[in-house]
């Protein structure tokens, strides 16, 4: 195969040297190990094997053994027993889970904050990318973009600090609302359970909009400039160009990201809820991962906690299949 | 290019973007101002982006007065340095073996690696693993579980794929073995991707707090800056002295927990501020990579 490759490459192409060398190399490689048997190649590649073996072991220990740990969900797992001494109980822990009212509250909170985050997160990122794309002043544009993704890189601990500081009774947000006369007495944002979902969503939007916009912004750069020229000739305003050209041109990207994000609706994690939550808002802050953490590790119900994890994975797969099937049905792009 | 007229639309856009910048930066500037302001004066409120009574007392407290906070800062630095070095070495070593198309185990190892992007054991089984391995309250818990990520390895490998094969071929003829080739040729040529991935690893290490919370809270020496900050945040009752230390009273006299909290926030943010503008490139690399693979 490599024999045919080299002569077939046009000699005047700038990439030719690399391709030729690659071809030559493959030929060389094939000549020596191709004739030698597997064991001889193995012997020649001792260094490569030594260099990869520790990491293969690492992958098995740190990535695959935990997956094997899923068996715990079907046992009454006791840490002092070996695997063969564990008592198998079938779906008992799943049945317990579905009979637990707290679980449904955790599910509601997870999906609630997940959906809010998905809607506002996506809208904010697309809007920001659209506006940035229209901005004329190139240097200022670059500066805005660079500043906009700063919050993505700071930890949730810092963001939670910022949010509680900004929203505190004597904080800037209350100060601003009082100044413009919207409220008379400061609002204690962090101690109101009904506001918790909104606060988490706002924090999420503040942290991730700039970063999430990068992908839409990059997609917009690929729009055919002729479309804009044609629209200008037809007298379309910049507003209409945004709406009828830029936005449709990034539609495939929007659909793909939506499908992936819907699959992750249930995987919103626990960091925000754990760091921003407190006892007063606990009933609105309890998400599935926190529930698994509290029960599984806090109360030593390891099997129960593992069952929660499996439930999450199953829901995640179902959600992504539904979203993908829906996108396929309405004739839009899809992930698979 | 002909100059286009600045329209009303452009002005509105400009104002909107200035608004975005203010909303993004104001919280950081506000916290910086409070951290540089006298603690008792801060209690009066009304600090915006400039300190009213300038002082470095809050920072002196962290770097001099409070042994716990200083040790936490040291631990944050240590785990970031060690974690980044081991992580980048592991990722690039594995990436090199996978960039070698002639490597006998290329296909199976690639499969094992890529599959980890789609499966995960979840919180509890991972916790059990760490416990069974004896990593609880051990410094290695910061290093080992984060050693590799499939995404990083793939990013580095795709960079190495583009290194002209002739370079390694000639070294081989000169008698160099695969490890020498990796160390003397591949690593120096891969520095751009190694730099970006290292920055990402460093940011991840610096920002971690949950592993401390879950696996290392039994060992005060392993506390990190992020975890100290998390503890202060967690302690809603400010007056009970949330800066956990024997000399909490001393702190209360000169500073207050809120000011200390702001100073820690700034110290934890500054390293990120210094490196993040260099990180966008990595994202773009990953993006184009994903496009090629699918």
């Amino acid at each position: 195969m490599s024999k045919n490759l080299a002569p077939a490459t046009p000699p005047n192409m700038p990439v030719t040297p690399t391709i030729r060398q690659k071809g030559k190399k493959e030929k060389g490689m094939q000549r020596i190990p191709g004739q030698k048997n597997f064991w001889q190649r193995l012997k020649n590649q001792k260094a490569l094997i030594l260099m990869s073996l520790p990491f293969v072991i690492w992958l098995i220990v740190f990535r695959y053994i935990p997956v094997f740990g899923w068996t715990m969900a079907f046992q009454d797992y006791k840490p002092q027993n070996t695997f063969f001494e564990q008592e198998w109980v079938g779906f008992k822990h799943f049945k317990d889970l579905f009979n637990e009212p707290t679980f449904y509250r955790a599910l509601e909170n997870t999906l609630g904050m997940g959906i809010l985050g998905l809607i506002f997160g996506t809208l904010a990122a697309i809007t920001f990318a659209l506006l940035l794309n229209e901005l004329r002043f190139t240097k200022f544009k670059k500066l805005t973009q660079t500043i906009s993704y700063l919050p993505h890189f700071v930890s949730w601990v810092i963001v939670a600090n910022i949010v509680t500081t900004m929203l505190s009774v004597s904080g800037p947000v209350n100060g601003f609302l009082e100044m413009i006369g919207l409220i008379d007495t400061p609002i204690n944002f962090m101690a109101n359970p009904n506001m918790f979902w909104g606060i988490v969503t706002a924090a999420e939007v503040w942290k991730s909009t700039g970063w999430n916009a990068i992908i839409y912004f990059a997609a917009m750069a690929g729009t055919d400039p002729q479309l804009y020229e044609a629209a200008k000739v037809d007298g379309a305003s910049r507003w209409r160009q945004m709406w009828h050209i830029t936005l449709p041109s990034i539609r495939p990207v929007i659909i793909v990201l939506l499908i992936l994000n819907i699959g992750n609706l249930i995987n919103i994690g626990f960091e925000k809820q754990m760091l921003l939550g407190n006892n007063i808002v606990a009933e609105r802050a309890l998400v599935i991962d926190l529930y698994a953490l509290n029960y599984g590790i806090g109360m030593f119900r390891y099997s129960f906690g593992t069952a929660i994890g499996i439930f999450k994975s199953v829901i995640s797969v179902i959600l992504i299949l539904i979203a993908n099937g829906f996108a396929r049905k309405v004739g839009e792009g899809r992930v698979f | 290019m002909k100059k286009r007229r600045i329209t009303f639309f452009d002005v509105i856009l400009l104002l909107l973007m200035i608004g975005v910048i203010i909303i993004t930066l104001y919280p950081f500037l506000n916290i910086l101002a409070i951290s540089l302001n006298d603690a008792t004066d801060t209690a009066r409120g009304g600090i915006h982006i400039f300190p009213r009574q300038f002082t470095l007392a809050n920072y002196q407290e962290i770097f001099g007065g409070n042994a716990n906070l200083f040790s936490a800062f040291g631990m944050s630095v240590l785990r970031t340095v060690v974690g980044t070095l081991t992580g980048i070495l592991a990722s690039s070593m594995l990436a090199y073996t996978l960039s070698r198309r002639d490597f006998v185990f290329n296909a199976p190892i690639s499969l094992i690696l890529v599959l980890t992007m789609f499966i995960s054991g979840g919180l509890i089984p991972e916790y059990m693993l760490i416990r069974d391995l004896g990593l609880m309250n051990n410094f290695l818990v910061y290093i080992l579980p984060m050693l590799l990520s499939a995404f990083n390895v793939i990013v580095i490998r795709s960079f190495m794929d583009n290194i002209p094969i002739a370079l390694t071929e000639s070294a081989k003829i000169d008698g160099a073995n695969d490890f020498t080739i990796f160390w003397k040729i591949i690593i120096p040529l891969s520095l751009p991707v190694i730099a970006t991935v290292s920055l990402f690893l460093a940011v991840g290490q610096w920002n971690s707090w949950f592993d401390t919370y879950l696996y290392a809270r039994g060992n005060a020496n392993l506390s990190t800056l992020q975890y100290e900050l998390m503890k202060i945040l967690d302690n809603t009752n400010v007056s009970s002295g949330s800066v956990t230390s024997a000399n909490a009273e001393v702190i209360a006299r000169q500073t207050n927990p809120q000011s200390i909290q702001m100073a820690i926030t700034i110290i934890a943010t500054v390293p990120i501020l210094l490196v993040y503008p260099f990180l966008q490139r990595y994202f773009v690399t990953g993006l184009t990579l994903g496009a090629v693979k699918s």
Side-chain angles (χ1 to χ4, degrees):
Chain A
M1 194 188 123
S2 50
K3 240 180 215 168
N4 298 334
L5 184 70
T9 316
N12 55 346
M13 273 179 70
V15 284
T16 312
T18 2
I19 289 180
R20 269 201 187 143
Q21 263 140 11
K22 257 192 179 160
K24 212 164 40 184
K25 183 248 163 183
E26 273 166 22
K27 204 160 67 184
M29 280 293 139
Q30 271 168 6
R31 201 190 64 231
I32 306 162
Q35 285 160 4
K36 284 181 185 174
N37 63 31
F38 176 79
W39 296 107
Q40 271 166 316
R41 274 173 75 194
L42 208 63
K43 225 176 110 192
N44 287 341
Q45 295 180 344
K46 255 187 299 191
L48 288 181
I49 294 168
L50 276 177
M51 282 164 79
S52 55
L53 189 66
F55 307 117
V56 174
I57 295 171
W58 184 92
L59 284 168
I60 291 169
V61 171
F62 283 94
R63 291 288 181 263
Y64 286 93
I65 288 180
V67 178
F68 179 74
W70 277 23
T71 51
M72 280 194 293
F74 305 97
Q75 305 166 333
D76 259 338
Y77 180 80
K78 301 217 170 47
Q80 67 272 21
N81 291 357
T82 66
F83 179 74
F84 299 101
E85 291 163 8
Q86 304 292 349
E87 187 192 339
W88 293 85
V89 294
F91 286 92
K92 178 186 150 211
H93 296 293
F94 291 91
K95 280 179 199 144
D96 287 353
L97 184 64
F98 296 134
N99 286 328
E100 186 103 38
T102 324
F103 165 69
Y104 292 98
R105 201 185 327 131
L107 190 61
E108 185 193 334
N109 287 337
T110 308
L111 290 176
M113 280 181 264
I115 291 169
L116 282 179
L118 176 64
I119 295 173
F120 289 101
T122 308
L123 280 179
I126 295 174
T127 313
F128 178 64
L130 271 176
L131 296 180
L132 195 67
N133 190 47
E134 284 296 320
L135 203 61
R136 285 279 173 82
F137 319 95
T138 320
K139 271 196 184 140
F140 180 73
K141 190 175 182 170
K142 200 126 185 70
L143 180 78
T144 312
Q145 203 192 0
T146 306
I147 290 174
S148 76
Y149 59 75
L150 164 65
H152 173 80
F153 290 103
V154 298
S155 69
W156 267 111
V157 178
I158 291 175
V159 174
N161 254 301
I162 287 174
V163 170
T164 44
T165 310
M166 292 300 119
L167 293 181
S168 71
V169 179
S170 57
V173 172
N174 268 313
F176 179 74
L177 290 176
E178 274 178 289
M179 194 183 79
I180 61 168
L182 221 58
I183 54 170
D184 297 326
T185 45
I187 304 171
N188 194 351
F189 289 100
M190 301 313 291
N192 186 340
N194 295 327
M195 288 186 178
F196 189 75
W197 287 12
I199 290 169
V200 166
T201 308
E204 171 85 53
V205 167
W206 183 79
K207 190 176 193 292
S208 323
T209 297
W211 180 253
N212 291 341
I214 293 178
I215 193 163
Y216 298 111
F217 190 66
M220 284 170 192
T223 311
D224 186 356
Q226 288 186 334
L227 291 173
Y228 293 109
E229 294 300 328
K232 249 177 261 168
V233 171
D234 289 346
S237 68
R238 302 246 314 263
W239 184 251
R240 291 187 73 98
Q241 289 175 31
M242 250 162 84
W243 191 252
H244 293 291
I245 298 173
T246 317
L247 208 51
S249 76
I250 60 164
R251 190 152 76 182
V253 178
I254 298 177
I255 303 275
V256 167
L257 287 182
L258 265 183
I259 295 173
L260 292 175
N261 289 336
I262 286 173
N264 279 325
L265 266 185
I266 204 159
N267 299 323
I268 59 168
F270 54 86
E271 276 191 284
K272 299 162 256 196
Q273 290 78 11
M274 189 167 167
L275 294 167
L276 288 169
N278 52 51
N279 287 335
I280 309 166
V281 298
E283 59 173 307
R284 286 276 150 230
L286 182 79
V287 286
I288 290 186
D289 281 333
L290 276 184
Y291 180 62
L293 205 62
N294 293 343
Y295 278 67
I297 294 171
M299 297 184 191
F300 308 108
R301 292 174 64 181
Y302 301 118
S303 295
F304 189 70
T306 310
I308 300 172
I310 296 179
F311 170 81
K312 248 184 60 181
S313 301
V314 172
I315 296 292
S316 186
V317 171
I318 293 175
L319 282 174
I320 202 164
L321 288 179
I322 292 175
N324 197 51
F326 188 75
R328 193 190 301 224
K329 205 157 232 170
V330 298
E332 293 291 353
R334 53 181 197 266
V335 177
F336 40 74
Chain B
M1 220 177 112
K2 73 172 183 224
K3 209 161 183 175
R4 285 183 296 186
R5 215 159 49 85
I6 304 293
T7 59
F8 179 66
F9 187 82
D10 290 312
V11 177
I12 295 288
L13 269 181
L14 190 67
L15 291 177
L16 273 174
M17 288 302 152
I18 290 173
V20 169
I21 292 180
I22 291 174
I23 291 173
T24 311
L25 289 187
Y26 178 81
F28 291 108
L29 294 174
N30 183 235
I31 284 174
L32 180 66
I34 296 175
S35 76
L36 289 172
N37 198 57
D38 181 69
T40 11
D41 180 64
T42 302
R44 280 170 46 215
I47 306 272
H48 288 289
I49 58 172
F50 297 108
R52 198 164 39 211
Q53 286 188 22
F54 183 83
T55 171
L56 288 173
N58 302 312
Y59 291 93
Q60 274 160 1
E61 191 55 45
I62 296 169
F63 288 111
N66 189 311
N68 278 348
L69 288 178
F70 187 64
S71 126
F73 173 77
M75 186 48 68
S76 283
V77 173
L78 184 69
R79 71 170 291 179
T80 304
V81 171
V82 178
T84 307
L85 288 178
T86 51
I88 195 66
L89 187 69
S91 318
S92 41
M93 220 185 240
L94 185 60
Y96 171 61
T97 63
L98 296 182
S99 76
R100 286 281 301 265
R101 301 283 174 219
D102 58 316
F103 179 36
V104 269
F105 297 124
N106 193 318
I109 296 178
S110 298
L111 182 71
I112 289 176
L113 180 76
V114 171
L115 272 183
T116 62
M117 290 171 89
F118 302 100
I119 55 164
S120 130
L123 212 54
I124 312 292
E126 271 166 28
Y127 176 84
M128 307 302 284
L129 175 75
I130 298 292
R131 216 192 46 177
D132 293 345
L133 289 175
L135 291 177
M136 296 295 256
N137 299 319
N138 183 329
F139 177 71
L140 286 178
V141 82
Y142 292 153
I143 308 301
L144 277 179
M146 295 203 202
L147 194 64
L148 281 177
S149 97
F151 187 75
N152 286 341
V153 174
I154 292 171
V155 167
I156 301 175
R157 194 200 67 181
S158 63
F159 187 92
M160 289 176 174
D161 280 345
N162 292 327
I163 295 177
I165 216 92
L167 288 170
T168 54
E169 280 301 289
S170 56
K172 217 173 239 171
I173 291 165
D174 292 344
N177 68 24
D178 286 323
F179 189 77
T180 320
I181 292 175
F182 167 69
W183 196 247
K184 292 271 166 68
I185 297 175
I186 301 294
I187 290 277
L189 286 175
S190 307
L191 281 183
V193 75
I194 285 176
T196 13
V197 173
S198 298
L199 283 182
F200 257 84
L201 291 172
V203 170
Q205 284 282 356
W206 182 260
N207 280 344
S208 291
W209 61 274
F210 187 67
D211 46 7
T212 316
Y213 170 80
L214 200 58
Y215 303 127
R217 68 183 142 174
N219 185 346
N221 292 330
L222 290 179
S223 184
T224 59
L225 217 50
Q226 301 278 348
Y227 182 58
E228 288 298 323
L229 198 52
M230 181 259 169
K231 278 199 293 190
I232 297 177
L233 189 69
D234 209 30
N235 201 334
T236 44
N237 189 1
V238 179
S239 61
S240 73
S242 44
V243 180
T244 52
S245 74
N247 51 0
E249 263 179 45
V250 184
I251 300 169
R253 260 183 275 130
Q254 302 155 350
T255 58
N256 73 24
Q258 199 212 355
S259 298
I260 291 283
Q261 182 183 352
M262 299 307 153
I264 302 179
T265 307
I266 293 301
I267 295 172
T269 307
V270 165
I272 303 291
L273 208 61
L274 295 179
V275 302
Y276 91 95
F278 302 101
L279 293 177
Q280 193 188 4
R281 206 161 31 149
Y282 174 87
F283 182 72
V284 177
T285 318
L287 203 70
T288 45
L289 189 78
V292 172
K293 294 286 161 192
S294 64

